[in-house]
Amino acid sequence: MSNDFKEKYKLPENYRKAIEEVSETNRKRTEQIDEIMSALEEKNLDKKQLNIVRKTVEELIQAGTAKFELTPEELAKFTTIPTEQQQKAAYMKFIKDQAKGFFMILELIKEQIRLLIDNGQIDKDVSVNMYARVKGLESAINNEDSNEGQLEGKLKVLDDVFGITIVAKDKKDILTIKKHISNSLIKVMKSKPINKSLKDKNGNILLGEDGKPLPGYTAVHDTGYINDKAFEWLDDIKVDGYKEQIAQCIKEDKEAEITLDDLEEIDKKVYTSSEELPVIEIHYQSEEEYERAKGVASHTAYKQRRGKENVVFIQQKYLHEEFHRFVDLPIMFEWTSHDDKVRLLDRDETLFTMYPYLRQLQAKKEQMTH
C-alpha cells in the first residue's frame, strides 16, 4: 500500500504500523519463497509442478509451519507431487493388480466375436481384427492433456491404461459386434461417437468433389468395465499364452520396467468381483475408418500436431535401442478371427506401429549392414 494512499485517508497510527508489519512479513515471505524456488529448479520440476510447490509453500509460511531444509525428506513437506520412484511403484502395482483381468477380458471378447461368426451373424470369410495395448509408464502417468491440475495431491487417474480397437469389414458388422459386447460383456459408462473432418494446415475443413467435408478420424469410443454376468465366465478363461509371450519379451528387454517375478505375481492374481477388473476403452471402427485413421489420427500424427514428438529424437532413441517395455513403450497385441491366439507384437513391430517413419530408418540400417 503506497504512502499516498495512507496519507490521503489519514490512517490512524495503529493502522499504519499494522500495514508496515504486514508489508515486512510479505517481503520476508517473498524472499523465502524465491530462495526455495531457486533451489527447487535444480530438481528438474516443470513449470506446473513449481507453481504447485509455490502455492503449498505460501500456505505453509502463512500458517507459520514451514521449514526450509531442502532435503528430499523436507521437500515432501512442501508438495504432494509424487517422486519418479513413487510414480513407478504406483503404476506397477496398478498393472500387477489388473493386467491379468485385462487379458481375461481380451479372451472373452475374442470368444464372443467367434460366437457371432459361428452363428452366422458375421460372415466367416470376413476377417475381424482386434488390437490391444497396455500403456507404458511415461504415457500412462504423464498425460497432461486429459489430467490438467491432477498433479496436486495425487497421481494421474489411470483410467485409460488398457485399450482395445476392434475392426470389422463395414459399419454393419461393427455395429453387430458393439451391440453384442455391450449386451453380454461390458457395462458401458461412456460412449462417444467421434466424427472429425479432415482439415488443412490452417485448420480449414477440406471438402470433397461433392462439396461435403472429407472424413478424417471416425470411430465409436466406449469406456466401461465387465458386467457381473460375464464375470462368472472368467473361471473358464486361461491366459497362459499371455504369460509366456510377456516372459519372452522381458528376457529380450533387460531394462523392461517389469520382471519375471512381477509376472508370477500377476499370474497368481485372483478376482472376487467385477469391480476389481480394469476399466477399458474400446474403439470400434470399420476397415475403411481404421485405415484412414492410421494416416490422419495415428500416434505420430497426433503427437506431432501437438508439438510433442521430435522425429530426430525418436530416431536416435531407436538407433541406440533406448526404448523399453512398460517405460516409454506399451505392450501391444493383435488378433484376427482367422487365428487362434492373441499375439504380442515384438519391440520393432510396436515401434513401427507407433512411429511408421522408423521403417525407413530400419531399411537404411539393414542396407548399410549388408
PDB file of all heavy atoms in Angstrom, residues 335-366:
ATOM      1  N   TRP A 335      -4.960 -59.623 -32.896  1.00  0.00           N
ATOM      2  CA  TRP A 335      -5.640 -60.895 -33.137  1.00  0.00           C
ATOM      3  C   TRP A 335      -6.535 -60.733 -34.341  1.00  0.00           C
ATOM      4  O   TRP A 335      -7.154 -59.685 -34.546  1.00  0.00           O
ATOM      5  CB  TRP A 335      -6.486 -61.284 -31.928  1.00  0.00           C
ATOM      6  CG  TRP A 335      -7.363 -62.488 -32.152  1.00  0.00           C
ATOM      7  CD1 TRP A 335      -6.981 -63.793 -32.193  1.00  0.00           C
ATOM      8  CD2 TRP A 335      -8.771 -62.483 -32.402  1.00  0.00           C
ATOM      9  NE1 TRP A 335      -8.059 -64.609 -32.440  1.00  0.00           N
ATOM     10  CE2 TRP A 335      -9.176 -63.836 -32.580  1.00  0.00           C
ATOM     11  CE3 TRP A 335      -9.730 -61.483 -32.497  1.00  0.00           C
ATOM     12  CZ2 TRP A 335     -10.491 -64.194 -32.836  1.00  0.00           C
ATOM     13  CZ3 TRP A 335     -11.045 -61.825 -32.757  1.00  0.00           C
ATOM     14  CH2 TRP A 335     -11.421 -63.166 -32.917  1.00  0.00           C
ATOM     15  N   THR A 336      -6.595 -61.742 -35.173  1.00  0.00           N
ATOM     16  CA  THR A 336      -7.538 -61.785 -36.276  1.00  0.00           C
ATOM     17  C   THR A 336      -8.406 -63.024 -36.113  1.00  0.00           C
ATOM     18  O   THR A 336      -7.950 -64.047 -35.586  1.00  0.00           O
ATOM     19  CB  THR A 336      -6.825 -61.805 -37.644  1.00  0.00           C
ATOM     20  OG1 THR A 336      -7.789 -62.007 -38.681  1.00  0.00           O
ATOM     21  CG2 THR A 336      -5.777 -62.902 -37.701  1.00  0.00           C
ATOM     22  N   SER A 337      -9.627 -62.927 -36.574  1.00  0.00           N
ATOM     23  CA  SER A 337     -10.587 -64.021 -36.374  1.00  0.00           C
ATOM     24  C   SER A 337     -10.178 -65.302 -37.106  1.00  0.00           C
ATOM     25  O   SER A 337     -10.765 -66.352 -36.877  1.00  0.00           O
ATOM     26  CB  SER A 337     -11.984 -63.580 -36.828  1.00  0.00           C
ATOM     27  OG  SER A 337     -11.952 -63.082 -38.159  1.00  0.00           O
ATOM     28  N   HIS A 338      -9.182 -65.213 -37.982  1.00  0.00           N
ATOM     29  CA  HIS A 338      -8.683 -66.414 -38.656  1.00  0.00           C
ATOM     30  C   HIS A 338      -7.591 -67.108 -37.846  1.00  0.00           C
ATOM     31  O   HIS A 338      -7.121 -68.187 -38.217  1.00  0.00           O
ATOM     32  CB  HIS A 338      -8.148 -66.066 -40.049  1.00  0.00           C
ATOM     33  CG  HIS A 338      -9.182 -65.507 -40.967  1.00  0.00           C
ATOM     34  ND1 HIS A 338     -10.376 -66.156 -41.225  1.00  0.00           N
ATOM     35  CD2 HIS A 338      -9.229 -64.352 -41.676  1.00  0.00           C
ATOM     36  CE1 HIS A 338     -11.097 -65.427 -42.070  1.00  0.00           C
ATOM     37  NE2 HIS A 338     -10.431 -64.329 -42.349  1.00  0.00           N
ATOM     38  N   ASP A 339      -7.158 -66.467 -36.751  1.00  0.00           N
ATOM     39  CA  ASP A 339      -6.108 -67.033 -35.902  1.00  0.00           C
ATOM     40  C   ASP A 339      -6.698 -67.553 -34.601  1.00  0.00           C
ATOM     41  O   ASP A 339      -7.810 -67.182 -34.214  1.00  0.00           O
ATOM     42  CB  ASP A 339      -5.034 -65.988 -35.592  1.00  0.00           C
ATOM     43  CG  ASP A 339      -4.311 -65.517 -36.844  1.00  0.00           C
ATOM     44  OD1 ASP A 339      -4.210 -66.318 -37.786  1.00  0.00           O
ATOM     45  OD2 ASP A 339      -3.863 -64.356 -36.872  1.00  0.00           O
ATOM     46  N   ASP A 340      -5.927 -68.368 -33.920  1.00  0.00           N
ATOM     47  CA  ASP A 340      -6.384 -68.916 -32.642  1.00  0.00           C
ATOM     48  C   ASP A 340      -5.965 -68.013 -31.485  1.00  0.00           C
ATOM     49  O   ASP A 340      -6.773 -67.662 -30.630  1.00  0.00           O
ATOM     50  CB  ASP A 340      -5.806 -70.324 -32.442  1.00  0.00           C
ATOM     51  CG  ASP A 340      -6.281 -70.955 -31.138  1.00  0.00           C
ATOM     52  OD1 ASP A 340      -7.433 -70.699 -30.757  1.00  0.00           O
ATOM     53  OD2 ASP A 340      -5.494 -71.673 -30.510  1.00  0.00           O
ATOM     54  N   LYS A 341      -4.684 -67.613 -31.464  1.00  0.00           N
ATOM     55  CA  LYS A 341      -4.147 -66.890 -30.318  1.00  0.00           C
ATOM     56  C   LYS A 341      -4.012 -65.389 -30.564  1.00  0.00           C
ATOM     57  O   LYS A 341      -3.821 -64.947 -31.690  1.00  0.00           O
ATOM     58  CB  LYS A 341      -2.769 -67.456 -29.948  1.00  0.00           C
ATOM     59  CG  LYS A 341      -2.793 -68.886 -29.432  1.00  0.00           C
ATOM     60  CD  LYS A 341      -1.388 -69.322 -29.027  1.00  0.00           C
ATOM     61  CE  LYS A 341      -1.405 -70.743 -28.459  1.00  0.00           C
ATOM     62  NZ  LYS A 341      -0.041 -71.180 -28.062  1.00  0.00           N
ATOM     63  N   VAL A 342      -4.110 -64.650 -29.479  1.00  0.00           N
ATOM     64  CA  VAL A 342      -3.749 -63.235 -29.491  1.00  0.00           C
ATOM     65  C   VAL A 342      -2.229 -63.162 -29.458  1.00  0.00           C
ATOM     66  O   VAL A 342      -1.588 -63.828 -28.656  1.00  0.00           O
ATOM     67  CB  VAL A 342      -4.355 -62.498 -28.280  1.00  0.00           C
ATOM     68  CG1 VAL A 342      -3.879 -61.049 -28.246  1.00  0.00           C
ATOM     69  CG2 VAL A 342      -5.877 -62.557 -28.327  1.00  0.00           C
ATOM     70  N   ARG A 343      -1.646 -62.344 -30.332  1.00  0.00           N
ATOM     71  CA  ARG A 343      -0.191 -62.304 -30.473  1.00  0.00           C
ATOM     72  C   ARG A 343       0.392 -61.004 -29.936  1.00  0.00           C
ATOM     73  O   ARG A 343      -0.120 -59.918 -30.219  1.00  0.00           O
ATOM     74  CB  ARG A 343       0.191 -62.457 -31.949  1.00  0.00           C
ATOM     75  CG  ARG A 343       1.690 -62.555 -32.210  1.00  0.00           C
ATOM     76  CD  ARG A 343       1.956 -62.759 -33.689  1.00  0.00           C
ATOM     77  NE  ARG A 343       1.706 -61.558 -34.457  1.00  0.00           N
ATOM     78  CZ  ARG A 343       2.629 -60.610 -34.685  1.00  0.00           C
ATOM     79  NH1 ARG A 343       3.847 -60.734 -34.186  1.00  0.00           N
ATOM     80  NH2 ARG A 343       2.319 -59.556 -35.416  1.00  0.00           N
ATOM     81  N   LEU A 344       1.454 -61.126 -29.165  1.00  0.00           N
ATOM     82  CA  LEU A 344       2.167 -59.955 -28.647  1.00  0.00           C
ATOM     83  C   LEU A 344       3.116 -59.442 -29.721  1.00  0.00           C
ATOM     84  O   LEU A 344       3.924 -60.207 -30.272  1.00  0.00           O
ATOM     85  CB  LEU A 344       2.959 -60.340 -27.395  1.00  0.00           C
ATOM     86  CG  LEU A 344       3.908 -59.280 -26.815  1.00  0.00           C
ATOM     87  CD1 LEU A 344       3.122 -58.102 -26.278  1.00  0.00           C
ATOM     88  CD2 LEU A 344       4.766 -59.896 -25.707  1.00  0.00           C
ATOM     89  N   LEU A 345       3.027 -58.150 -30.050  1.00  0.00           N
ATOM     90  CA  LEU A 345       3.943 -57.565 -31.021  1.00  0.00           C
ATOM     91  C   LEU A 345       5.337 -57.468 -30.414  1.00  0.00           C
ATOM     92  O   LEU A 345       5.488 -57.146 -29.229  1.00  0.00           O
ATOM     93  CB  LEU A 345       3.476 -56.171 -31.437  1.00  0.00           C
ATOM     94  CG  LEU A 345       2.094 -56.048 -32.084  1.00  0.00           C
ATOM     95  CD1 LEU A 345       1.903 -54.630 -32.611  1.00  0.00           C
ATOM     96  CD2 LEU A 345       1.892 -57.049 -33.195  1.00  0.00           C
ATOM     97  N   ASP A 346       6.357 -57.713 -31.225  1.00  0.00           N
ATOM     98  CA  ASP A 346       7.709 -57.570 -30.706  1.00  0.00           C
ATOM     99  C   ASP A 346       8.089 -56.089 -30.659  1.00  0.00           C
ATOM    100  O   ASP A 346       7.303 -55.209 -31.039  1.00  0.00           O
ATOM    101  CB  ASP A 346       8.722 -58.392 -31.522  1.00  0.00           C
ATOM    102  CG  ASP A 346       8.854 -57.923 -32.974  1.00  0.00           C
ATOM    103  OD1 ASP A 346       8.647 -56.723 -33.245  1.00  0.00           O
ATOM    104  OD2 ASP A 346       9.181 -58.763 -33.842  1.00  0.00           O
ATOM    105  N   ARG A 347       9.277 -55.821 -30.190  1.00  0.00           N
ATOM    106  CA  ARG A 347       9.699 -54.435 -29.954  1.00  0.00           C
ATOM    107  C   ARG A 347       9.621 -53.602 -31.235  1.00  0.00           C
ATOM    108  O   ARG A 347       9.062 -52.493 -31.242  1.00  0.00           O
ATOM    109  CB  ARG A 347      11.133 -54.419 -29.409  1.00  0.00           C
ATOM    110  CG  ARG A 347      11.741 -53.027 -29.260  1.00  0.00           C
ATOM    111  CD  ARG A 347      13.176 -53.131 -28.751  1.00  0.00           C
ATOM    112  NE  ARG A 347      13.852 -51.853 -28.796  1.00  0.00           N
ATOM    113  CZ  ARG A 347      14.475 -51.377 -29.873  1.00  0.00           C
ATOM    114  NH1 ARG A 347      14.478 -52.086 -30.990  1.00  0.00           N
ATOM    115  NH2 ARG A 347      15.078 -50.205 -29.833  1.00  0.00           N
ATOM    116  N   ASP A 348      10.197 -54.103 -32.337  1.00  0.00           N
ATOM    117  CA  ASP A 348      10.206 -53.325 -33.569  1.00  0.00           C
ATOM    118  C   ASP A 348       8.801 -53.155 -34.132  1.00  0.00           C
ATOM    119  O   ASP A 348       8.445 -52.079 -34.635  1.00  0.00           O
ATOM    120  CB  ASP A 348      11.116 -53.989 -34.609  1.00  0.00           C
ATOM    121  CG  ASP A 348      12.584 -53.670 -34.371  1.00  0.00           C
ATOM    122  OD1 ASP A 348      12.873 -52.880 -33.449  1.00  0.00           O
ATOM    123  OD2 ASP A 348      13.442 -54.200 -35.101  1.00  0.00           O
ATOM    124  N   GLU A 349       7.977 -54.189 -34.064  1.00  0.00           N
ATOM    125  CA  GLU A 349       6.599 -54.073 -34.546  1.00  0.00           C
ATOM    126  C   GLU A 349       5.846 -52.997 -33.771  1.00  0.00           C
ATOM    127  O   GLU A 349       5.069 -52.218 -34.340  1.00  0.00           O
ATOM    128  CB  GLU A 349       5.878 -55.414 -34.403  1.00  0.00           C
ATOM    129  CG  GLU A 349       6.310 -56.466 -35.403  1.00  0.00           C
ATOM    130  CD  GLU A 349       5.616 -57.789 -35.157  1.00  0.00           C
ATOM    131  OE1 GLU A 349       5.612 -58.257 -34.000  1.00  0.00           O
ATOM    132  OE2 GLU A 349       5.068 -58.356 -36.125  1.00  0.00           O
ATOM    133  N   THR A 350       6.087 -52.946 -32.464  1.00  0.00           N
ATOM    134  CA  THR A 350       5.450 -51.918 -31.631  1.00  0.00           C
ATOM    135  C   THR A 350       5.917 -50.531 -32.038  1.00  0.00           C
ATOM    136  O   THR A 350       5.110 -49.608 -32.209  1.00  0.00           O
ATOM    137  CB  THR A 350       5.772 -52.162 -30.149  1.00  0.00           C
ATOM    138  OG1 THR A 350       5.326 -53.466 -29.770  1.00  0.00           O
ATOM    139  CG2 THR A 350       5.100 -51.128 -29.261  1.00  0.00           C
ATOM    140  N   LEU A 351       7.223 -50.383 -32.230  1.00  0.00           N
ATOM    141  CA  LEU A 351       7.774 -49.088 -32.623  1.00  0.00           C
ATOM    142  C   LEU A 351       7.272 -48.665 -33.996  1.00  0.00           C
ATOM    143  O   LEU A 351       6.929 -47.497 -34.210  1.00  0.00           O
ATOM    144  CB  LEU A 351       9.303 -49.154 -32.616  1.00  0.00           C
ATOM    145  CG  LEU A 351       9.965 -49.040 -31.238  1.00  0.00           C
ATOM    146  CD1 LEU A 351      11.418 -49.473 -31.299  1.00  0.00           C
ATOM    147  CD2 LEU A 351       9.855 -47.619 -30.709  1.00  0.00           C
ATOM    148  N   PHE A 352       7.207 -49.611 -34.938  1.00  0.00           N
ATOM    149  CA  PHE A 352       6.761 -49.264 -36.282  1.00  0.00           C
ATOM    150  C   PHE A 352       5.280 -48.903 -36.296  1.00  0.00           C
ATOM    151  O   PHE A 352       4.832 -48.130 -37.147  1.00  0.00           O
ATOM    152  CB  PHE A 352       7.022 -50.430 -37.241  1.00  0.00           C
ATOM    153  CG  PHE A 352       8.481 -50.746 -37.437  1.00  0.00           C
ATOM    154  CD1 PHE A 352       8.884 -51.985 -37.896  1.00  0.00           C
ATOM    155  CD2 PHE A 352       9.462 -49.805 -37.143  1.00  0.00           C
ATOM    156  CE1 PHE A 352      10.222 -52.283 -38.085  1.00  0.00           C
ATOM    157  CE2 PHE A 352      10.811 -50.098 -37.312  1.00  0.00           C
ATOM    158  CZ  PHE A 352      11.199 -51.336 -37.781  1.00  0.00           C
ATOM    159  N   THR A 353       4.504 -49.482 -35.365  1.00  0.00           N
ATOM    160  CA  THR A 353       3.091 -49.126 -35.252  1.00  0.00           C
ATOM    161  C   THR A 353       2.942 -47.694 -34.743  1.00  0.00           C
ATOM    162  O   THR A 353       2.115 -46.919 -35.230  1.00  0.00           O
ATOM    163  CB  THR A 353       2.365 -50.092 -34.296  1.00  0.00           C
ATOM    164  OG1 THR A 353       2.441 -51.419 -34.827  1.00  0.00           O
ATOM    165  CG2 THR A 353       0.902 -49.703 -34.130  1.00  0.00           C
ATOM    166  N   MET A 354       3.762 -47.333 -33.764  1.00  0.00           N
ATOM    167  CA  MET A 354       3.686 -46.000 -33.177  1.00  0.00           C
ATOM    168  C   MET A 354       4.364 -44.940 -34.048  1.00  0.00           C
ATOM    169  O   MET A 354       3.870 -43.821 -34.174  1.00  0.00           O
ATOM    170  CB  MET A 354       4.343 -46.007 -31.790  1.00  0.00           C
ATOM    171  CG  MET A 354       3.657 -46.894 -30.781  1.00  0.00           C
ATOM    172  SD  MET A 354       4.554 -46.978 -29.207  1.00  0.00           S
ATOM    173  CE  MET A 354       4.371 -45.289 -28.608  1.00  0.00           C
ATOM    174  N   TYR A 355       5.489 -45.296 -34.635  1.00  0.00           N
ATOM    175  CA  TYR A 355       6.288 -44.358 -35.417  1.00  0.00           C
ATOM    176  C   TYR A 355       6.592 -44.977 -36.786  1.00  0.00           C
ATOM    177  O   TYR A 355       7.687 -45.529 -36.998  1.00  0.00           O
ATOM    178  CB  TYR A 355       7.600 -44.039 -34.697  1.00  0.00           C
ATOM    179  CG  TYR A 355       7.455 -43.691 -33.241  1.00  0.00           C
ATOM    180  CD1 TYR A 355       7.866 -44.572 -32.243  1.00  0.00           C
ATOM    181  CD2 TYR A 355       6.898 -42.470 -32.848  1.00  0.00           C
ATOM    182  CE1 TYR A 355       7.736 -44.250 -30.904  1.00  0.00           C
ATOM    183  CE2 TYR A 355       6.763 -42.142 -31.516  1.00  0.00           C
ATOM    184  CZ  TYR A 355       7.180 -43.038 -30.548  1.00  0.00           C
ATOM    185  OH  TYR A 355       7.051 -42.726 -29.219  1.00  0.00           O
ATOM    186  N   PRO A 356       5.663 -44.922 -37.728  1.00  0.00           N
ATOM    187  CA  PRO A 356       5.840 -45.597 -39.029  1.00  0.00           C
ATOM    188  C   PRO A 356       7.110 -45.184 -39.769  1.00  0.00           C
ATOM    189  O   PRO A 356       7.675 -45.983 -40.515  1.00  0.00           O
ATOM    190  CB  PRO A 356       4.586 -45.177 -39.802  1.00  0.00           C
ATOM    191  CG  PRO A 356       3.574 -44.866 -38.753  1.00  0.00           C
ATOM    192  CD  PRO A 356       4.349 -44.282 -37.612  1.00  0.00           C
ATOM    193  N   TYR A 357       7.569 -43.946 -39.572  1.00  0.00           N
ATOM    194  CA  TYR A 357       8.759 -43.481 -40.291  1.00  0.00           C
ATOM    195  C   TYR A 357      10.023 -44.235 -39.879  1.00  0.00           C
ATOM    196  O   TYR A 357      11.046 -44.168 -40.568  1.00  0.00           O
ATOM    197  CB  TYR A 357       8.957 -41.971 -40.105  1.00  0.00           C
ATOM    198  CG  TYR A 357       8.979 -41.498 -38.679  1.00  0.00           C
ATOM    199  CD1 TYR A 357      10.112 -41.619 -37.891  1.00  0.00           C
ATOM    200  CD2 TYR A 357       7.857 -40.901 -38.116  1.00  0.00           C
ATOM    201  CE1 TYR A 357      10.129 -41.175 -36.575  1.00  0.00           C
ATOM    202  CE2 TYR A 357       7.864 -40.451 -36.814  1.00  0.00           C
ATOM    203  CZ  TYR A 357       9.003 -40.592 -36.050  1.00  0.00           C
ATOM    204  OH  TYR A 357       9.016 -40.148 -34.736  1.00  0.00           O
ATOM    205  N   LEU A 358       9.966 -44.978 -38.773  1.00  0.00           N
ATOM    206  CA  LEU A 358      11.136 -45.754 -38.369  1.00  0.00           C
ATOM    207  C   LEU A 358      11.376 -46.945 -39.297  1.00  0.00           C
ATOM    208  O   LEU A 358      12.485 -47.484 -39.339  1.00  0.00           O
ATOM    209  CB  LEU A 358      10.972 -46.249 -36.925  1.00  0.00           C
ATOM    210  CG  LEU A 358      11.031 -45.184 -35.832  1.00  0.00           C
ATOM    211  CD1 LEU A 358      10.874 -45.827 -34.453  1.00  0.00           C
ATOM    212  CD2 LEU A 358      12.342 -44.405 -35.887  1.00  0.00           C
ATOM    213  N   ARG A 359      10.360 -47.361 -40.049  1.00  0.00           N
ATOM    214  CA  ARG A 359      10.546 -48.450 -41.006  1.00  0.00           C
ATOM    215  C   ARG A 359      11.599 -48.080 -42.046  1.00  0.00           C
ATOM    216  O   ARG A 359      12.442 -48.904 -42.430  1.00  0.00           O
ATOM    217  CB  ARG A 359       9.221 -48.769 -41.711  1.00  0.00           C
ATOM    218  CG  ARG A 359       8.182 -49.438 -40.824  1.00  0.00           C
ATOM    219  CD  ARG A 359       6.942 -49.795 -41.618  1.00  0.00           C
ATOM    220  NE  ARG A 359       5.911 -50.377 -40.771  1.00  0.00           N
ATOM    221  CZ  ARG A 359       5.827 -51.661 -40.464  1.00  0.00           C
ATOM    222  NH1 ARG A 359       6.742 -52.506 -40.933  1.00  0.00           N
ATOM    223  NH2 ARG A 359       4.855 -52.124 -39.702  1.00  0.00           N
ATOM    224  N   GLN A 360      11.551 -46.834 -42.515  1.00  0.00           N
ATOM    225  CA  GLN A 360      12.531 -46.374 -43.493  1.00  0.00           C
ATOM    226  C   GLN A 360      13.929 -46.367 -42.895  1.00  0.00           C
ATOM    227  O   GLN A 360      14.906 -46.739 -43.555  1.00  0.00           O
ATOM    228  CB  GLN A 360      12.152 -44.974 -43.986  1.00  0.00           C
ATOM    229  CG  GLN A 360      10.811 -44.920 -44.705  1.00  0.00           C
ATOM    230  CD  GLN A 360      10.421 -43.497 -45.081  1.00  0.00           C
ATOM    231  OE1 GLN A 360      10.902 -42.533 -44.504  1.00  0.00           O
ATOM    232  NE2 GLN A 360       9.533 -43.378 -46.061  1.00  0.00           N
ATOM    233  N   LEU A 361      14.021 -45.955 -41.638  1.00  0.00           N
ATOM    234  CA  LEU A 361      15.318 -45.932 -40.965  1.00  0.00           C
ATOM    235  C   LEU A 361      15.857 -47.350 -40.806  1.00  0.00           C
ATOM    236  O   LEU A 361      17.056 -47.594 -40.992  1.00  0.00           O
ATOM    237  CB  LEU A 361      15.170 -45.261 -39.600  1.00  0.00           C
ATOM    238  CG  LEU A 361      16.464 -44.955 -38.840  1.00  0.00           C
ATOM    239  CD1 LEU A 361      17.335 -43.991 -39.619  1.00  0.00           C
ATOM    240  CD2 LEU A 361      16.146 -44.372 -37.466  1.00  0.00           C
ATOM    241  N   GLN A 362      14.980 -48.291 -40.483  1.00  0.00           N
ATOM    242  CA  GLN A 362      15.380 -49.682 -40.347  1.00  0.00           C
ATOM    243  C   GLN A 362      15.882 -50.235 -41.684  1.00  0.00           C
ATOM    244  O   GLN A 362      16.875 -50.967 -41.735  1.00  0.00           O
ATOM    245  CB  GLN A 362      14.211 -50.519 -39.824  1.00  0.00           C
ATOM    246  CG  GLN A 362      14.456 -52.019 -39.791  1.00  0.00           C
ATOM    247  CD  GLN A 362      15.556 -52.420 -38.828  1.00  0.00           C
ATOM    248  OE1 GLN A 362      16.008 -51.619 -38.029  1.00  0.00           O
ATOM    249  NE2 GLN A 362      16.000 -53.670 -38.941  1.00  0.00           N
ATOM    250  N   ALA A 363      15.189 -49.877 -42.768  1.00  0.00           N
ATOM    251  CA  ALA A 363      15.598 -50.344 -44.095  1.00  0.00           C
ATOM    252  C   ALA A 363      16.994 -49.828 -44.447  1.00  0.00           C
ATOM    253  O   ALA A 363      17.834 -50.572 -44.961  1.00  0.00           O
ATOM    254  CB  ALA A 363      14.580 -49.886 -45.139  1.00  0.00           C
ATOM    255  N   LYS A 364      17.256 -48.562 -44.142  1.00  0.00           N
ATOM    256  CA  LYS A 364      18.584 -47.997 -44.405  1.00  0.00           C
ATOM    257  C   LYS A 364      19.645 -48.672 -43.552  1.00  0.00           C
ATOM    258  O   LYS A 364      20.764 -48.933 -43.997  1.00  0.00           O
ATOM    259  CB  LYS A 364      18.569 -46.486 -44.123  1.00  0.00           C
ATOM    260  CG  LYS A 364      17.743 -45.681 -45.108  1.00  0.00           C
ATOM    261  CD  LYS A 364      17.778 -44.216 -44.759  1.00  0.00           C
ATOM    262  CE  LYS A 364      16.938 -43.401 -45.736  1.00  0.00           C
ATOM    263  NZ  LYS A 364      16.911 -41.949 -45.382  1.00  0.00           N
ATOM    264  N   LYS A 365      19.269 -48.940 -42.315  1.00  0.00           N
ATOM    265  CA  LYS A 365      20.203 -49.618 -41.402  1.00  0.00           C
ATOM    266  C   LYS A 365      20.580 -50.997 -41.933  1.00  0.00           C
ATOM    267  O   LYS A 365      21.740 -51.401 -41.883  1.00  0.00           O
ATOM    268  CB  LYS A 365      19.542 -49.720 -40.017  1.00  0.00           C
ATOM    269  CG  LYS A 365      20.418 -50.327 -38.943  1.00  0.00           C
ATOM    270  CD  LYS A 365      19.662 -50.365 -37.623  1.00  0.00           C
ATOM    271  CE  LYS A 365      20.474 -51.067 -36.539  1.00  0.00           C
ATOM    272  NZ  LYS A 365      19.708 -51.139 -35.268  1.00  0.00           N
ATOM    273  N   GLU A 366      19.577 -51.722 -42.458  1.00  0.00           N
ATOM    274  CA  GLU A 366      19.841 -53.057 -42.993  1.00  0.00           C
ATOM    275  C   GLU A 366      20.702 -52.988 -44.254  1.00  0.00           C
ATOM    276  O   GLU A 366      21.570 -53.836 -44.463  1.00  0.00           O
ATOM    277  CB  GLU A 366      18.511 -53.755 -43.301  1.00  0.00           C
ATOM    278  CG  GLU A 366      17.735 -54.137 -42.036  1.00  0.00           C
ATOM    279  CD  GLU A 366      16.375 -54.718 -42.354  1.00  0.00           C
ATOM    280  OE1 GLU A 366      16.013 -54.734 -43.560  1.00  0.00           O
ATOM    281  OE2 GLU A 366      15.688 -55.173 -41.413  1.00  0.00           O
TER     282      GLU A 366
END
